[in-house]
Amino acid sequence: MTDVTQVNEKISIETQGDIALIIIDNPPVNATGQVVRQGLQDAITKLNDEGTAKVIAIYAEGRTFVAGADITEFGKPPQPPALPDVYNVIEDSEIPVISVMHGTALGGGFELGLATHARIGIKGLRVGLPEILLGLLPGAGGTQRLPRLAGIPFTLDMALSGRQVKAEEALEKGVIDRLVDATPREAALQAAQDVLDGKLATRRTCDVDVEADDKALEDTAAMLKAKQAHLYSPHKIVEAVAASALPRTEGLKIERQAFVDSMQTPQRAGLIHAFFGERAVSGIPEAKGDTREIAKIGVIGGGTMGSGIATSCLLAGIPVRLVEVAQDGLDRGVATITKNLEGAVSRGKMSADQKDTALKMLEPSLGLDVLSDVDLVIEAVFEQMDVKKDIFGKLNTVCKPGAILASNTSYLDVNEIAACTDRPQDVLGLHFFSPAHVMRLLEIVQGAKTAPDVIATGFALAKKLKKVGVLAQVCDGFIGNRILAHYSKTASYLVLDGASPQQVDDALEGFGFAMGPHKVGDLAGLDIGWMTRKRKAATRDPNERYAGDVADKICENGWFGRKAGQGYYIYGQGAPVPNPEVAKIIDDVRAEKGITPRAFSDEEIVERYMTAMIVEATRVVEDGTAKRPVDVDMVFLFGYGFPRFRGGPLHYADTIGAKDLVARITEYAKEDANYWQVPPLLQKMADEGTTFADLNKGA
Ligand code: T1G
């Protein structure tokens, strides 16, 4: 006889004879919000008080078992019952409790499984402890129970990497007891019956002793001290895992305190902002609605960008026609794509067979006529307007009606390009970032006449390519490169006024950037910036302090950076070293300009650099080039190596505050009133005491 009790709106109990099922149903990912926590605790307590059931099985409805604590509750006053307390009630149950996990059992979801007395995985299950990606640590027993089941090294690996572990590995490590191919409900009933029949052993995890491994703990602590000193939660994870040697209550107390402390950090706020921001930017109305089918893509240009874009499409299983004007260029493109895909195989991103299948979907061709049947063309040729206009004029006649025509231009006017066709509604910008098959950012540039379904298709393509699509309006440089063009001048001014390129790089890497601006320039090629400065020379503001003197002289020597063996740094066998020739150029330029160099602290370097970035980022929001501050933040997290734990330039700006930013800019303006100007929007925010987070909510 089946009896169903609705404990609350998210949790129900179904009893069948000696078996009690606790069913979690909290779409979209069964996160352990307050109602789920209360319901789980009440259900276990009720069944133990009744004493009728002989075994309890917990499973979840929907596409995944519990995917973690409810992140939307973070930063708000905690509401009881606390998750660790609920899991202690489960672990202490007199009636054996088993769990059936499917989909992605992550964070608090995986910890729920660990608190039960046996764990069943459904085929395709992945488990993980991704809390570190949110600036946190497992805070519901993960650091205490996982060492008991799978040892300290494996626990450190999972908790510090945040990686998702496939069910097969979890089974092999003893983290799950069985792996079955059934529905969660079928598996729950079968496993419960097996417990009753003595075919499935159960035990409290806390009763299992931890195998000590002080060396793993010491080595990890030392590595983190050397490599991640600027982060908070990784060190706390090691402390908490070390406490697993203690009895459960003491160990959980240490874990809890570490969790509460990490919850207070700006890093947690920044990483949560990044988590939701990645979803917010593609959740806009323009990304919804009708889309056009993209079954085949034409890519024009077999250079670095074109090959990277083609690789990205092939990795997503989309057939690609690669078009070049000459055979040697086409061959180079195919070779680059092949190398990119082989790299994906060596990184374990795809198998050799998948690589071969992908290459079979590549059709290298000469001339544009072969593009008559593609659904989308992505032009990735030389960044010169006349070249692009010529191509789009031809595409206008070659491509079928309804085909989308996209330019990968990184700053040129998409409206001007669209005007070369009689179908501007089919034209947009799809700005990929190099290497295009690795970098996740895709700026989706909306022309004045771009049709809504073309924009929506751009977002659908971004999702299929596993990229983060961000809507941008037309201007020189769209969102990212426009802001970069502004703040990169500050790096140059700092060098002109007394800092060395290496000091600027070191200061910004200490802030959290993967690479400082001079190293980035050397990597990308200093000739790119040189061309831009020459392109803009005729229209440059005469009142602007020229920032390119040093870089121009470096380029005049042909020292374009890594590809030339030297730029700001000299590239040889070992680590790059500062180029002494550049130091001489800097001294000469200072002398020519009558500059007496002064010392800069790392703190001042970061303040000036970040303030310049925030100024132009504010203007980009102010004039509507970006929809909201969060869109700018995601551009910088996914396209410019901005430190993720800081959430992005405008999330970071909120940690300073508009008032202090205005005061800082006003001070700098005394040196250079032309470059340092307070954007009206920032002044308004300072006057009203509002934040960029407020603007995100209001947009
Ligand atoms: N809390 C609240 N909402 C969540 C959520 C969560 N944990 N995870 C996902 N969502 C929402 C998401 O915002 C989106 O909402 C929808 O679900 C689908 O997500 C105590 C403290 C599970 C792999 O970090 O990795 O447990 O936009 O678009 O691509 O130690 O979501 O539809 O309105 O990403 O299929 C640990 C985070 C939390 C997992 C599914 N858990 N989530 O990916 O869908 S901390 C995580 C994910 C914790 C404990 C600690 C992914 C996914 P909307 P989606 P997806």
Side-chain angles (χ1 to χ4, degrees):
M1 198 270 279
T2 298
D3 177 44
V4 177
T5 308
Q6 199 67 37
V7 177
N8 65 26
E9 65 198 87
K10 304 290 185 188
I11 303 291
S12 60
I13 298 173
E14 185 180 324
T15 51
Q16 289 191 20
D18 293 338
I19 295 172
L21 302 176
I22 295 178
I23 305 160
I24 304 169
D25 189 5
N26 182 29
V29 296
N30 288 309
T32 55
Q34 194 281 335
V35 178
V36 172
R37 298 196 299 274
Q38 191 64 59
L40 280 173
Q41 181 168 284
D42 293 351
I44 293 286
T45 304
K46 173 181 170 55
L47 290 167
N48 275 273
D49 290 348
E50 288 169 354
T52 313
K54 297 283 185 298
V55 60
I56 299 168
I58 301 174
Y59 75 89
E61 299 285 10
R63 60 187 180 140
T64 178
F65 187 68
V66 176
D70 185 339
I71 302 176
T72 62
E73 290 181 350
F74 289 1
K76 297 171 187 166
Q79 296 175 302
L83 205 54
D85 299 336
V86 175
Y87 291 176
N88 284 349
V89 167
I90 291 170
E91 188 165 55
D92 295 342
S93 167
E94 288 304 319
I95 303 169
V97 183
I98 64 177
S99 53
V100 176
M101 299 187 284
H102 72 289
T104 46
L106 304 174
F110 182 38
E111 291 172 302
L112 170 52
L114 294 172
T116 60
H117 305 160
R119 286 150 293 281
I120 310 299
I122 302 292
K123 187 166 178 276
L125 168 70
R126 288 168 176 263
V127 295
L129 292 172
E131 291 87 341
I132 192 165
L133 307 179
L134 302 175
L136 298 168
L137 63 137
T143 65
Q144 306 303 305
R145 294 188 173 99
L146 187 56
R148 286 170 162 80
L149 295 176
I152 285 175
F154 183 69
T155 302
L156 290 171
D157 166 23
M158 280 195 73
L160 290 170
S161 67
R163 71 184 178 97
Q164 292 184 13
V165 170
K166 288 181 182 169
E168 293 74 11
E169 184 181 359
L171 182 66
E172 186 257 325
K173 293 287 184 186
V175 168
I176 58 175
D177 301 285
R178 283 184 185 169
L179 180 55
V180 300
D181 187 1
T183 69
R185 180 184 176 77
E186 290 164 349
L189 288 167
Q190 182 57 58
Q193 190 56 51
D194 288 349
V195 170
L196 295 176
D197 298 344
K199 294 177 186 168
L200 175 61
T202 59
R203 62 179 176 175
R204 289 196 178 94
T205 308
C206 62
D207 292 343
V208 181
D209 290 333
V210 180
E211 188 181 333
D213 192 333
D214 294 342
K215 185 174 183 330
L217 291 164
E218 287 156 15
D219 292 351
T220 305
M223 178 276 290
L224 291 172
K225 195 168 174 210
K227 296 194 174 170
Q228 297 188 9
H230 57 289
L231 293 179
Y232 183 83
S233 64
H235 312 280
K236 288 297 182 183
I237 284 171
V238 177
E239 284 173 27
V241 170
S244 64
L246 303 170
R248 184 185 80 178
T249 306
E250 289 171 63
L252 282 175
K253 197 170 167 200
I254 290 170
E255 178 192 81
R256 186 72 187 159
Q257 189 55 56
F259 178 79
V260 169
D261 294 346
S262 61
M263 187 63 89
Q264 311 307 321
T265 62
Q267 294 178 10
R268 188 273 306 157
L271 289 165
I272 296 290
H273 176 71
F275 175 83
F276 283 115
E278 180 181 344
R279 288 154 180 82
V281 293
S282 52
I284 57 176
E286 292 87 339
K288 311 289 186 199
D290 296 341
T291 58
R292 297 184 192 180
E293 191 202 354
I294 303 295
K296 179 172 280 190
I297 292 178
V299 175
I300 306 174
T304 305
M305 286 309 294
S307 304
I309 294 166
T311 305
S312 189
C313 297
L314 292 169
L315 285 169
I318 306 173
V320 172
R321 277 240 168 84
L322 180 69
V323 170
E324 259 287 357
V325 287
Q327 192 59 46
D328 61 343
L330 192 59
D331 294 345
R332 270 199 306 277
V334 172
T336 306
I337 292 165
T338 305
K339 185 164 154 281
N340 291 345
L341 291 174
E342 284 164 353
V345 173
S346 59
R347 288 194 306 275
K349 298 285 184 198
M350 68 188 327
S351 67
D353 289 348
Q354 287 169 322
K355 180 207 70 168
D356 297 340
T357 304
L359 281 172
K360 289 192 183 97
M361 290 193 292
L362 176 61
E363 293 174 50
S365 317
L366 293 175
L368 299 177
D369 296 346
V370 297
L371 298 176
S372 58
D373 66 341
V374 300
D375 307 296
L376 163 67
V377 177
I378 303 173
E379 165 272 311
V381 301
F382 200 58
E383 277 291 82
Q384 272 192 351
M385 185 55 91
D386 54 353
V387 173
K388 295 186 187 297
K389 284 182 171 180
D390 175 53
I391 286 174
F392 276 77
K394 289 172 180 159
L395 292 175
N396 188 47
T397 50
V398 166
C399 294
K400 67 185 180 185
I404 294 175
L405 312 180
S407 172
N408 172 56
T409 180
S410 55
Y411 59 83
L412 294 175
D413 187 334
V414 170
N415 293 323
E416 201 176 327
I417 294 171
C420 296
T421 74
D422 54 21
R423 46 181 178 172
Q425 70 279 6
D426 297 338
V427 179
L428 80 167
L430 289 178
H431 179 211
F432 291 79
F433 284 72
S434 185
H437 60 294
V438 174
M439 295 298 280
R440 293 194 57 208
L441 178 63
L442 177 61
E443 281 183 323
I444 297 169
V445 185
Q446 181 173 21
K449 296 178 179 172
T450 305
D453 67 337
V454 170
I455 293 297
T457 305
F459 278 94
L461 177 68
K463 191 171 175 79
K464 188 153 176 67
L465 300 182
K466 293 189 171 57
K467 290 191 180 292
V468 179
V470 180
L471 185 66
Q473 300 305 317
V474 174
C475 73
D476 191 321
F478 314 134
I479 298 174
N481 281 349
R482 170 173 152 188
I483 296 168
L484 169 66
H486 184 76
Y487 69 80
S488 59
K489 289 172 189 161
T490 290
S492 303
Y493 295 151
L494 285 162
V495 167
L496 284 172
D497 293 338
S500 71
Q502 180 166 24
Q503 186 193 2
V504 172
D505 286 353
D506 290 350
L508 291 164
E509 286 165 21
F511 177 78
F513 282 94
M515 287 173 88
H518 300 96
K519 284 192 191 130
V520 171
D522 274 0
L523 182 64
L526 299 176
D527 45 330
I528 295 172
W530 195 31
M531 277 194 298
T532 302
R533 287 191 296 278
K534 287 193 273 191
R535 171 174 65 87
K536 290 185 173 180
T539 56
R540 190 169 65 235
D541 176 355
N543 298 317
E544 179 187 287
R545 180 186 182 192
Y546 188 58
D549 295 284
V550 171
D552 289 351
K553 291 183 183 317
I554 294 173
C555 289
E556 283 154 17
N557 285 291
W559 302 334
F560 295 143
R562 193 183 287 262
K563 63 186 174 186
Q566 62 178 316
Y568 283 100
Y569 297 84
I570 293 178
Y571 298 89
Q573 295 306 323
V577 293
N579 187 343
E581 294 304 318
V582 168
K584 287 180 195 154
I585 289 173
I586 293 168
D587 290 342
D588 294 347
V589 169
R590 286 173 181 161
E592 283 164 29
K593 291 174 170 291
I595 294 171
T596 306
R598 73 170 178 88
F600 284 91
S601 66
D602 288 357
E603 188 187 11
E604 183 179 2
I605 288 170
V606 171
E607 278 188 5
R608 284 175 173 264
Y609 191 84
M610 284 311 305
T611 304
M613 189 185 294
I614 291 163
V615 163
E616 195 61 26
T618 304
R619 290 180 181 138
V620 160
V621 173
E622 194 171 45
D623 68 16
T625 300
K627 265 184 99 67
R628 302 156 298 181
V630 66
D631 296 77
V632 175
D633 286 340
M634 294 310 110
V635 162
F636 277 82
L637 291 190
F638 293 101
Y640 290 80
F642 193 91
R644 186 178 171 90
F645 70 88
R646 296 195 186 270
L650 295 181
H651 177 83
Y652 173 69
D654 279 348
T655 66
I656 302 168
K659 268 193 176 49
D660 287 354
L661 284 165
V662 167
R664 210 187 268 182
I665 298 160
T666 306
E667 188 59 30
Y668 295 157
K670 292 173 186 169
E671 305 157 17
D672 181 345
N674 185 64
Y675 181 76
W676 292 107
Q677 296 178 22
V678 175
L681 172 58
L682 194 63
Q683 184 64 60
K684 181 170 181 286
M685 289 166 66
D687 298 342
E688 296 171 354
T690 53
T691 63
F692 288 106
D694 295 329
L695 287 181
N696 284 328
K697 287 189 200 110

